[in-house]
Amino acid sequence: MKKRSLAALAAFVFGCAVITTATAAGDACQTCWTRYNKCVAVMDVQTCEYQVEMCLKNNGCPNPPW
């Protein structure tokens, strides 16, 4: 019974860690796009596209659609 309880607790903790990591990654990805939108307002699109690509890559986000 103790082993089963310990396994359940370990699974719960791991699941929480995965959810927290996914949420943090989603926030990082959104931050990249927010920065991109601000960049486009003041700079040329090519520079901003490069910056957002690097930001997304560094944070493990999906590639941009272009």
Side-chain angles (χ1 to χ4, degrees):
M1 191 66 138
K2 275 188 176 179
K3 288 183 181 181
R4 190 177 292 176
S5 296
L6 185 59
L9 179 62
F12 176 75
V13 170
F14 178 76
C16 290
V18 168
I19 290 169
T20 302
T21 303
T23 302
D27 290 345
C29 298
Q30 183 59 43
T31 300
C32 292
W33 287 111
T34 300
R35 289 180 183 168
Y36 172 77
N37 290 333
K38 289 179 182 179
C39 178
V40 170
V42 294
M43 296 181 75
D44 65 293
V45 174
Q46 281 186 315
T47 300
C48 299
E49 285 179 357
Y50 174 77
Q51 290 178 355
V52 77
E53 284 177 20
M54 292 298 103
C55 182
L56 294 170
K57 182 179 178 182
N58 291 338
N59 289 296
C61 303
N63 290 331
W66 54 80

